[in-house]
Amino acid sequence: NPAPICVLDEVDAPLDDANIERFCDLLDRMVGETNTRYLIVTHNADVARMGARVIRFGDGRVRSVETNTDRVPPSDLVW
């Protein structure tokens, strides 16, 4: 059985822009094809723009939780 939640901790950090885009395209397809939800930890603001919800941390605390009503597909991001 597939996992209901998958945590991806800074998987985009070692990737160049072209491979971040490929990874984001793949992840976007996986979200649409599976029941798995993905929690992505990133410092990349563009990657965060893809998410349904963005949680911002500071000093070890949750600073904000935002519902992203203007989600951007990977193909629309400028790398």
Side-chain angles (χ1 to χ4, degrees):
N1 292 333
I5 298 172
C6 182
V7 178
L8 304 170
D9 187 6
E10 296 194 46
V11 294
D12 58 328
L15 303 177
D16 60 13
D17 289 348
N19 283 310
I20 290 175
E21 183 175 9
R22 290 175 63 206
F23 169 75
C24 289
D25 284 335
L26 174 65
L27 186 61
D28 199 44
R29 285 197 318 268
M30 290 171 54
V31 166
E33 296 172 3
T34 68
N35 288 326
T36 302
R37 297 297 166 244
Y38 297 88
L39 172 70
I40 302 170
V41 178
T42 185
H43 291 274
N44 187 320
D46 287 323
V47 172
R49 292 174 56 206
M50 293 176 38
R53 189 167 294 128
V54 177
I55 303 169
R56 299 186 191 281
F57 292 86
D59 297 324
R61 298 175 188 241
V62 173
R63 295 297 179 190
S64 67
V65 178
E66 305 158 13
T67 299
N68 190 358
T69 57
D70 298 317
R71 290 178 67 190
V72 178
S75 58
D76 290 352
L77 295 173
V78 177
W79 305 100

